[in-house]
Amino acid sequence: MRDRHDLDSKNTFVSRGLALEFEMKQRFLKSGKWKPYFAFVYTRRAIEQVGGFDEKLFQGEDKDLFGRVKAQGFS
């Protein structure tokens, strides 16, 4: 698996975009302007109350689920 430094060594449009995305995420996380949406743990009741994962989504199912759980007032 490649790490971030491998991407920095290639000077392509895609690698520059990925590096910029990584840097922006780190800045937002450190400043508190953005909260990570991964590795949250919720009770079964919270997950069931919002209907679980939306199986129609192709990607971002976890982010969608966690957003709906948070919107229902769970923490």
Side-chain angles (χ1 to χ4, degrees):
M1 176 173 256
R2 291 181 159 183
D3 65 19
R4 181 180 169 276
H5 299 291
D6 288 340
L7 295 174
D8 288 340
S9 66
K10 295 187 186 217
N11 190 15
T12 67
F13 178 76
V14 172
S15 64
R16 290 189 307 270
L18 290 171
L20 178 61
E21 178 188 22
F22 177 84
E23 184 62 36
M24 289 174 65
K25 284 181 180 179
Q26 295 305 307
R27 287 183 186 191
F28 287 147
L29 286 168
K30 288 177 185 175
S31 70
K33 292 180 181 177
W34 192 57
K35 301 286 186 211
Y37 55 85
F38 44 86
F40 286 127
V41 176
Y42 291 108
T43 62
R44 176 185 298 235
R45 184 174 144 262
I47 302 297
E48 288 176 348
Q49 184 168 321
V50 300
F53 284 102
D54 184 346
E55 296 182 16
K56 295 178 289 200
L57 295 176
F58 176 69
Q59 61 183 9
E61 306 91 343
D62 52 349
K63 187 174 183 179
D64 170 72
L65 174 66
F66 299 150
R68 289 185 287 118
V69 168
K70 184 177 179 184
Q72 287 294 315
F74 292 97
S75 58

